[in-house]
Amino acid sequence: MADAEKKAIYIDEEVGLDAADANGSLTAPYKSVQFAYLQHGADAGYQVKNKEKGEAEPEWKPAAKAALKKAANYADAQKKKASKEKELAIRQQKEQEERDKALEEAKKIVITEDTSLPAAKKITLGETRPEIVTLGKGDRATAGPDARGTRVMVFGRVHRERKQKGVAFITLRDGFGFMQVVLSGPLAQTYDAVTLTRETSMMIKGELWEVPTGAHAPNNREMHADYFEILGKAPGGDDAITNKVQAKGDAQTLLDQRHLVLRGETASSVMFVRDAVEHAFNCKYHELGYVKVSPPALVQTQVEGGSTLFGLDYYGEKAYLTQSSQLYLETAIPFAGNVYCIEKSFRAEKSLTRRHLSEYTHVEGELDFITFDDLLEHIEDMMCSVIEKVMAQPRIAAMIKELNPEFTVPERPFMRMRYTDAIDWLREHNIPNENDQPHEFGDDIAEAAERRMTDMINRPIFLTHFPAEIKSFYMPRDVDDPRVTESVDCLMPGVGEIVGGSMRIWKNDELMKGYAREGIDPAPYYWYTDQRKYGGSPHGGYGLGLERFLAWLCKQHTVRDTCLYPRYMGRCRP
Ligand code: 4AD
């Protein structure tokens, strides 16, 4: 077409529009040659508004050749892109149709249980007793036709699944353990198998076989299914558990989804270790003849200072959530001898550190007729015995190895270090106090300094003999140095303080001075003070933070990951 015959399309870079409102006429010009070309192609003649028009020059002039070429190239590229997108959409639609068709076909495959097979024994996934679980030997595919494994029935949730050449491999989980299950033949072609998602709960029956040489599966076995039923389907797509919780996800999102996170291997292993540790404490205490008591959580007295008390209205009276069961444990020793408890303690901590919770599990022991050295030896014995008991359980030891590969049982005796020596150590190593000054006697060694020192020394430390002024009202003074108390903190590398303990004042007048020093009204403490009146005794005890102990044992960065549902400032859900 000759240029003169082409329909004129107008472009005005100043007032034109690259939008549906423009049509390229004199009254509704476009803004750019590129956009105009995209609308009208090579068959139009493009006229551009002459911006710096002289007297004799026309108002519109033909678009520059270079601009037209660029616009043509762009239009061409756009066309190719559109055509590719169209092709892709067609292909995707076809694939979807094929998938829908395959799913419709899969729905037609109905499996029924073969009643001629031997009855299946119901077992848990952790069951390994040979009298219950005998395995078919060797590779099932190559074993003779008469070879049989035990026919079993299992229940669990899909921990992992993968499909390969018409066979579905499922790792089933039930809390007792894991089991690899193989669905093949029609079983793998059913709608339920084809659409199987993680966390779906199911019942499966089949034979147990050793895994073929070179292959790996939990307990070295796999189940060859002959029948299964879905009990509770879990969602796929956006709601799939793998989308809801991701290993490296944002910490707050993971805490909001803690109920799902707990199904993962790391979080659940920590919970299994926690259970084993708590059980080991109970066993060890009972081996030592300690009596377990259960003091109240709702109290009207403080133990560890007023600043971390959670107050509440108790039928019109002021009450608190307990900070420690210690005072109540002390009242139990006259009837029970040595006592302990594993209860919740509450601290209204205003700081968001990785080792502070508002609600934590407190393992507390109280020992009668002892010396301070007896107390230290007992704490050391408790901690090491609990670890030994836990490590003696193969499943738990394997979990600890996975969580904390370098873990070794600490050597005894733990290092003993007096507070005054710690102050000297911090000064020598240029670790300043909270005011950025060299540490002085009387300073409360702050968390950061304490951790630096513990990590540098890199072994458990009993830090002892803290000044009275920075410790609680009930701690007795050391006879040789009355500035300090018979108190101890056990510090562990990576975490810091795990245990806090002391001897207890057992003389009435001394206790009164302690109340007075801390500004505590003795009246509501009459039941505690009476200990001293009705047959006082040299006694002492300690509290161990279970979450901190676990953070150390399982090498977890924070105590928020060592309890089921952490509570700390700003979080009281789910
Ligand atoms: O040193 P604390 O405050 O000592 C007591 O409560 C004593 N009355 C215990 C006793 O002698 N029966 O706390 C003891 C331990 C700490 O070493 C720490 O492990 C843990 O309790 N703990 C906390 N754990 C998590 N979050 C907090 N906010 C904690 N506060 C203390």
Side-chain angles (χ1 to χ4, degrees):
M1 208 187 297
D3 272 4
E5 293 166 29
K6 289 183 178 174
K7 184 184 172 196
I9 293 294
Y10 296 94
I11 293 125
D12 185 335
E13 285 167 3
E14 271 166 6
V15 299
L17 290 173
D18 284 349
D21 291 349
N23 57 17
S25 66
L26 272 171
T27 49
Y30 294 115
K31 189 175 178 62
S32 71
V33 176
Q34 185 165 295
F35 188 81
Y37 199 94
L38 216 50
Q39 317 306 312
H40 301 277
D43 294 342
Y46 294 96
Q47 299 291 321
V48 181
K49 180 89 176 228
N50 199 351
K51 275 187 287 188
E52 286 120 25
K53 178 173 86 73
E55 280 283 305
E57 288 179 55
E59 192 163 0
W60 301 89
K61 59 175 189 181
K65 277 219 168 72
L68 276 175
K69 187 149 189 244
K70 206 171 145 199
N73 287 344
Y74 179 73
D76 204 33
Q78 288 303 102
K79 219 159 116 189
K80 280 190 189 138
K81 195 172 150 201
S83 128
K84 263 199 191 136
E85 277 170 5
K86 200 168 153 198
E87 260 173 48
L88 182 72
I90 293 170
R91 202 168 63 232
Q92 280 174 340
Q93 195 188 346
K94 215 170 134 210
E95 281 169 4
Q96 187 58 45
E97 281 166 8
E98 277 166 15
R99 267 200 302 273
D100 291 347
K101 206 170 134 212
L103 287 180
E104 285 311 311
E105 287 303 310
K107 278 184 190 162
K108 290 184 200 153
I109 301 175
V110 177
I111 50 165
T112 49
E113 189 175 354
D114 180 350
T115 48
S116 70
L117 292 172
K121 260 183 226 154
K122 182 181 170 187
I123 61 163
T124 67
L125 303 182
E127 187 62 79
T128 51
R129 278 178 293 169
E131 67 274 23
I132 296 182
V133 181
T134 51
L135 300 173
K137 292 272 174 211
D139 186 349
R140 187 179 188 206
T142 56
D146 297 330
R148 298 220 73 96
T150 312
R151 188 161 185 260
V152 296
M153 167 165 71
V154 294
F155 292 83
R157 291 180 180 78
V158 177
H159 191 64
R160 270 191 293 272
E161 48 81 31
R162 103 189 122 83
K163 292 166 195 105
Q164 199 181 323
K165 295 186 192 142
V167 178
F169 292 91
I170 302 171
T171 304
L172 210 61
R173 182 190 77 234
D174 75 347
F176 293 94
F178 296 91
M179 186 182 279
Q180 175 156 300
V181 182
V182 185
L183 304 185
S184 53
L187 259 55
Q189 292 154 16
T190 56
Y191 181 78
D192 283 338
V194 176
T195 60
L196 193 66
T197 47
R198 285 196 188 188
E199 293 309 317
T200 291
S201 59
M202 57 199 299
M203 180 277 284
I204 314 179
K205 291 183 182 181
E207 281 183 12
L208 272 185
W209 283 74
E210 262 180 18
V211 286
T213 329
H216 297 283
N219 292 319
N220 240 349
R221 66 191 180 188
E222 61 187 8
M223 184 190 194
H224 289 262
D226 56 55
Y227 181 67
F228 74 89
E229 282 173 16
I230 299 288
L231 304 179
K233 245 185 200 305
D238 287 349
D239 269 348
I241 191 162
T242 41
N243 283 328
K244 288 261 187 165
V245 293
Q246 280 156 3
K248 298 255 178 293
D250 151 69
Q252 291 304 321
T253 310
L254 291 177
L255 285 170
D256 287 340
Q257 302 297 330
R258 181 83 179 146
H259 57 297
L260 297 179
V261 170
L262 285 166
R263 298 173 181 218
E265 274 159 65
T266 303
S268 62
S269 292
V270 175
M271 292 302 113
F272 281 111
V273 176
R274 184 183 164 115
D275 169 54
V277 166
E278 212 174 312
H279 183 65
F281 269 110
N282 279 305
C283 291
K284 177 69 184 175
Y285 278 123
H286 282 277
E287 281 168 17
L288 295 175
Y290 282 50
V291 175
K292 188 179 192 181
V293 292
S294 186
L298 294 166
V299 298
Q300 291 190 310
T301 44
Q302 54 152 293
V303 195
E304 299 301 333
S307 67
T308 59
L309 276 177
F310 272 117
L312 57 103
D313 176 74
Y314 190 77
Y315 305 105
E317 283 184 46
K318 184 91 198 146
Y320 311 105
L321 292 176
T322 190
Q323 292 171 308
S324 154
S325 298
Q326 177 200 323
L327 306 192
Y328 292 93
L329 284 187
E330 287 185 55
T331 67
I333 52 173
F335 78 82
N338 296 339
V339 291
Y340 81 102
C341 68
I342 302 180
E343 298 284 344
K344 289 294 178 75
S345 282
F346 302 87
R347 305 279 170 107
E349 301 282 0
K350 306 264 172 2
S351 53
L352 287 168
T353 80
R354 61 187 170 103
R355 67 179 201 186
H356 283 100
L357 293 165
S358 306
E359 173 185 330
Y360 71 96
T361 300
H362 210 167
V363 180
E364 292 179 276
E366 204 64 32
L367 291 69
D368 206 5
F369 302 112
I370 54 155
T371 63
F372 186 52
D373 280 338
D374 294 337
L375 179 66
L376 299 188
E377 271 169 37
H378 163 85
I379 296 173
E380 204 172 67
D381 179 35
M382 267 325 281
M383 293 175 75
C384 293
S385 302
V386 162
I387 291 163
E388 279 158 18
K389 282 181 188 299
V390 163
M391 295 305 276
Q393 300 172 50
R395 187 176 180 211
I396 303 297
M399 287 175 179
I400 294 173
K401 180 109 194 97
E402 188 70 34
L403 293 163
N404 188 1
E406 289 105 55
F407 181 77
T408 48
V409 183
E411 272 175 40
R412 293 174 63 176
F414 292 179
M415 178 180 179
R416 265 78 165 159
M417 188 183 209
R418 290 176 79 101
Y419 166 89
T420 46
D421 296 329
I423 294 293
D424 291 344
W425 192 98
L426 291 165
R427 290 177 73 99
E428 278 160 24
H429 290 81
N430 292 322
I431 298 176
N433 68 14
E434 281 190 302
N435 302 322
D436 217 22
Q437 297 299 313
H439 274 93
E440 298 284 350
F441 180 91
D443 282 348
D444 203 352
I445 302 171
E447 183 174 334
E450 176 192 281
R451 213 170 31 229
R452 276 183 71 189
M453 181 177 83
T454 317
D455 289 354
M456 281 169 80
I457 294 173
N458 200 23
R459 52 180 288 210
I461 308 168
F462 275 149
L463 192 56
T464 64
H465 299 93
F466 290 88
E469 284 63 34
I470 60 166
K471 284 289 179 185
S472 305
F473 69 92
Y474 53 75
M475 294 189 183
R477 290 179 191 265
D478 181 40
V479 280
D480 298 327
D481 181 359
R483 296 177 307 159
V484 299
T485 53
E486 284 188 310
S487 50
V488 59
D489 279 359
C490 179
L491 313 179
M492 287 296 184
V495 183
E497 184 199 329
I498 284 185
V499 180
S502 76
M503 293 303 284
R504 319 303 192 190
I505 293 177
W506 62 287
K507 299 281 167 54
N508 208 50
D509 51 343
E510 232 182 284
L511 184 61
M512 290 303 152
K513 282 186 203 151
Y515 289 137
R517 192 189 72 225
E518 295 303 315
I520 295 172
D521 171 12
Y525 292 78
Y526 71 93
W527 53 274
Y528 180 69
T529 313
D530 269 1
Q531 280 295 102
R532 284 84 202 148
K533 192 164 147 192
Y534 293 87
S537 60
H539 66 285
Y542 58 94
L544 173 145
L546 187 64
E547 289 79 7
R548 291 193 189 176
F549 184 81
L550 286 162
W552 166 69
L553 179 61
C554 300
K555 206 175 191 337
Q556 296 298 293
H557 177 69
T558 161
V559 290
R560 295 174 189 177
D561 289 335
T562 59
C563 45
L564 198 66
Y565 288 96
R567 297 290 180 254
Y568 57 88
M569 190 168 70
R571 181 169 287 276
C572 198
R573 59 173 194 284

